[in-house]
Amino acid sequence: MKKYLAILSVLLVAALFTGCSLFPTKSVETEVTPPVTADIFDYTGLDYQLGEVLVRTDSTISLDKMLSKEGSEVLQEWSQIGWSLVSVPEGETVTSFIKKLRNYKGVLLAEPNMMYETDKTPEATSYDQQWGFDNMNAEAAWDITTGSENVIVAVIDTGLDLTHPEFVNKTIIAPYNATGDGIEDMIDADTHGTHVAGIAAADGNFGEVAGVAWDCPIMPVRAQHIEGYISSSFLVEAMTYIADYAQENPEYRIVVNMSIGGHGYNFAMKDAIDYAFDNGVLLITSAGNDSKRVVSYPSAYNGVVSVAASTPWDTKADFSTIGSWNSVAAPGVLIYSTIPVESGSHGNMQGTSMASPYVTGAAALLLSHNPDLTPLQIKNQIEQTARGNGFSEELGYGIIDIEAMLGELQPMTYGSLDVTTSIISSDELGYVGQGIITLFDEEGALVGWGSTGEDGNYMFHALKPAIYTVNLTYYNMFTGEYEFASQDAMVKVDRVNTIFFEVGVPSEITKTVEYEEDINTEEGYTGISFTVEEKGFFEFETSELAGEGKCDTVLYLYDADDNLVATNDDFGTLFSYIGMNL
């Protein structure tokens, strides 16, 4: 008999008895929009870790099995945000493997594991008193509060010298090594992390220096490998660790300092920051030391507080990075603070790395005084009480004023954007996939990204009032193509603005079972031949018994000439599935 189409199912026995069923069905869909393909991501020229790739998948793919076919494996995963760090197989480069991964329908994003640097500039001058406190009106603020034991200052950095006299009597909460380098203590071979922690929260009641938030505990999180490098996977691990801690310990509030930066938009890191934000954690970061207008991350992510460096004369430090994403400025020149004991115990440094922890300590004081503030309210209060004459790209809203910050709460200056779509899975339609949403400002800079959830939407917070361009990329399972849509959205102050994308998801589907077969063989192949008489969307799936450990299936779809048309090992972890137009 002439073979028109065949489905071969390979069964690997996982129990003594198997009982998987195969269901080819035909679906008729309505109102499918012609697709447009978009590829907007380019990591050429960036510094990244060789041999590793970050990947995010949806529920239609079994990552472990997919990677094993490619000779790759999962090195680390963050189920909270849907991301995994995977190895690059032999014979592939980072960029070639990313390209291959993006061809899998269940892969939403794949990107390099990028490298970051601390934003410091060494300063070998004589002893200088801590001039910054007077510049920021800290002394008057300390009359109101010096911190709370329930507000944690988390420092994601190069480590912390816990043997330092300034930290011996300091409360240290849940220190963590996010690098996986096997060194369990908080060694600081770089001196940077110890200097930053001293600025933010050294105990002002004894010792040589004071920090901003005297009475707040410190959570040191080391993100620099013992070999001296920082990668985005370390920063993702650090942020998710802190977010999980906040979720599991609601009696604490946490502010995070990250005096680290790089020059590539990292989607996994943005997801980790948003996850922390959703758990009440605010990230404060250094603007960078590029001296000119250069986009740096995480400082340019929406929702974080980006801190520029200022001088004793309230001008921009010559090295400080300029940008529309800068929130405020703080002292960053000739900053005297703690360094590891073996390096001399105390010393001067300069850079936006030194400016950022001043603001982090101030945020901890604000939370100590107003513990119910949301991360966005903290960011807004810091910015709107700064000493400045309006906004500038050099100093943001101005030099931070801690006394004013602890005063009357200021009106909200940010808005939110709720992007809704018709990409909604249901019992009637089944799983219809996820869309990727990217948000660009009027200058064409990428402001944020998100993926549609079960309800087909994504909410962007902490947006300045403006007109934004919103792009939606969606793999349409019913057409087998990518769709791309774009529209502008107006964001207004202190309100949730909403836009809607209507894409080619059928409004109604009628499924007809064409064939069903029970497969009760311990191992082998089962071939089924059938003829397609009318064009349509066809689905082929095994029963969910495969997800109960009773059997494992792989589907292969061949045409009449024995050409492989499609294959699927696992749709999620429940069953095998192929859906396509024939």
Side-chain angles (χ1 to χ4, degrees):
M1 184 177 75
K2 184 176 179 180
K3 180 170 66 176
Y4 292 95
L5 285 169
I7 306 169
L8 302 182
S9 180
V10 183
L11 283 80
L12 304 177
V13 179
L16 292 177
F17 301 99
T18 62
C20 291
S21 300
L22 184 64
F23 306 95
T25 63
K26 179 181 179 182
S27 303
V28 179
E29 73 278 5
T30 60
E31 301 177 2
V32 177
T33 304
V36 180
T37 301
D39 187 4
I40 62 171
F41 310 123
D42 182 11
Y43 295 97
T44 304
L46 295 178
D47 187 18
Y48 48 78
Q49 184 76 7
L50 298 178
E52 298 175 351
V53 168
L54 287 158
V55 59
R56 183 177 178 184
T57 62
D58 63 21
S59 60
T60 67
I61 191 169
S62 175
L63 185 59
D64 285 325
K65 290 189 177 182
M66 182 267 284
L67 292 175
S68 67
K69 294 177 184 177
E70 299 291 347
S72 173
E73 63 178 343
V74 174
L75 303 175
Q76 192 171 3
E77 62 181 347
W78 302 275
S79 59
Q80 311 97 313
I81 57 176
W83 283 88
S84 299
L85 181 68
V86 306
S87 63
V88 175
E90 185 176 352
E92 298 275 5
T93 65
V94 168
T95 52
S96 69
F97 191 46
I98 286 174
K99 184 176 181 180
K100 180 175 287 187
L101 288 173
R102 288 176 178 174
N103 288 327
Y104 279 90
K105 295 184 177 69
V107 173
L108 295 176
L109 284 170
E111 62 186 5
N113 187 14
M114 292 185 289
M115 307 297 284
Y116 293 80
E117 297 178 350
T118 55
D119 293 322
K120 71 171 179 180
T121 304
E123 179 59 49
T125 63
S126 60
Y127 171 80
D128 184 273
Q129 294 293 332
Q130 295 174 278
W131 64 270
F133 292 135
D134 182 62
N135 182 262
M136 299 180 297
N137 289 327
E139 290 86 350
W142 289 330
D143 289 335
I144 301 172
T145 179
T146 54
S148 165
E149 62 181 10
N150 292 322
V151 178
I152 298 173
V153 174
V155 180
I156 298 175
D157 215 292
T158 62
L160 177 62
D161 181 4
L162 295 177
T163 68
H164 197 292
E166 303 275 11
F167 297 110
V168 169
N169 295 319
K170 185 74 180 178
T171 301
I172 306 296
I173 291 181
Y176 185 64
N177 177 6
T179 71
D181 62 7
I183 307 299
E184 295 303 322
D185 59 28
M186 283 291 109
I187 60 169
D188 183 13
D190 188 87
T191 76
H192 187 273
T194 302
H195 198 269
V196 166
I199 297 168
D203 193 331
N205 294 317
F206 69 93
E208 191 169 325
V209 298
V212 180
W214 296 0
D215 291 327
C216 289
I218 296 175
M219 176 189 288
V221 180
R222 182 158 68 85
Q224 179 170 286
H225 195 276
I226 192 63
E227 295 179 2
Y229 65 90
I230 301 171
S231 69
S232 49
S233 62
F234 299 161
L235 299 180
V236 169
E237 175 68 14
M239 287 303 300
T240 53
Y241 171 78
I242 293 169
D244 286 345
Y245 190 92
Q247 189 179 68
E248 295 164 4
N249 299 274
E251 68 274 19
Y252 288 110
R253 294 298 308 274
I254 305 177
V255 291
V256 180
N257 188 86
M258 188 187 292
S259 292
I260 295 169
H263 297 304
Y265 193 103
N266 185 265
F267 295 90
M269 188 174 171
K270 181 61 167 66
D271 271 349
I273 292 170
D274 287 347
Y275 174 60
F277 192 93
D278 290 340
N279 282 284
V281 177
L282 177 66
L283 174 64
I284 299 166
T285 184
S286 51
N289 298 337
D290 294 296
S291 75
K292 55 187 178 181
R293 196 181 200 279
V294 178
V295 180
S296 177
Y297 298 99
S299 64
Y301 290 134
N302 69 299
V304 308
V305 175
S306 174
V307 185
S310 60
T311 70
W313 304 277
D314 289 352
T315 58
K316 182 186 84 71
D318 57 2
F319 52 78
S320 187
T321 300
I322 300 167
S324 61
W325 46 88
N326 281 337
S327 296
V328 292
V333 178
L334 289 172
I335 305 303
Y336 191 73
S337 183
T338 48
I339 59 175
V341 173
E342 64 180 17
S343 299
S345 295
H346 299 85
N348 286 307
M349 289 186 184
Q350 66 181 26
T352 56
S353 277
M354 286 62 252
S356 180
Y358 277 124
V359 178
T360 303
L365 294 183
L366 179 59
L367 266 181
S368 300
H369 190 55
N370 295 282
D372 295 327
L373 294 182
T374 67
L376 186 55
Q377 288 173 321
I378 302 168
K379 173 180 167 67
N380 187 76
Q381 184 71 2
I382 290 171
E383 294 171 346
Q384 297 309 308
T385 57
R387 291 189 292 107
N389 298 314
F391 180 84
S392 74
E393 292 201 346
E394 290 77 16
L395 300 176
Y397 288 94
I399 314 298
I400 185 172
D401 186 327
I402 305 179
E403 180 188 19
M405 180 199 66
L406 294 179
E408 182 181 359
L409 295 180
Q410 300 300 302
M412 178 59 61
T413 59
Y414 289 96
S416 300
L417 179 63
D418 188 12
V419 181
T420 61
T421 75
S422 58
I423 307 173
I424 302 176
S425 300
S426 65
D427 292 339
E428 293 75 20
L429 295 179
Y431 180 77
V432 299
Q434 286 182 279
I436 298 296
I437 302 167
T438 47
L439 188 67
F440 295 85
D441 64 18
E442 293 174 286
E443 297 176 348
L446 182 61
V447 174
W449 92 284
S451 59
T452 60
E454 293 182 358
D455 54 358
N457 84 311
Y458 185 84
M459 180 79 76
F460 291 92
H461 295 292
L463 298 178
K464 293 182 178 180
I467 297 175
Y468 294 88
T469 298
V470 187
N471 294 337
L472 173 67
T473 303
Y474 163 63
Y475 177 74
N476 192 322
M477 299 173 62
F478 303 100
T479 64
E481 301 288 345
Y482 282 92
E483 296 186 13
F484 176 76
S486 179
Q487 59 178 294
D488 290 339
M490 171 71 78
V491 172
K492 297 182 179 180
V493 173
D494 202 20
R495 68 174 63 180
V496 177
N497 306 268
T498 304
I499 62 170
F500 176 70
F501 283 95
E502 179 72 54
V503 298
V505 177
S507 57
E508 182 178 348
I509 287 182
T510 301
K511 294 185 179 183
T512 303
V513 176
E514 299 283 318
Y515 189 87
E516 178 178 347
E517 178 167 319
D518 288 329
I519 301 170
N520 286 295
T521 178
E522 291 187 354
E523 185 174 349
Y525 299 85
T526 298
I528 302 167
S529 300
F530 68 96
T531 301
V532 174
E533 298 179 347
E534 182 181 355
K535 179 181 178 180
F537 184 81
F538 286 79
E539 295 178 304
F540 310 88
E541 64 183 50
T542 58
S543 68
E544 295 190 7
L545 291 174
E548 298 174 4
K550 296 183 177 180
C551 67
D552 189 12
T553 60
V554 184
L555 291 177
Y556 300 90
L557 180 63
Y558 293 87
D559 65 14
D561 298 319
D562 284 334
N563 297 312
L564 183 63
V565 176
T567 183
N568 179 257
D569 189 353
D570 283 289
F571 193 79
T573 57
L574 296 179
F575 54 92
S576 298
Y577 172 89
I578 294 173
M580 63 186 305
N581 280 285
L582 297 173

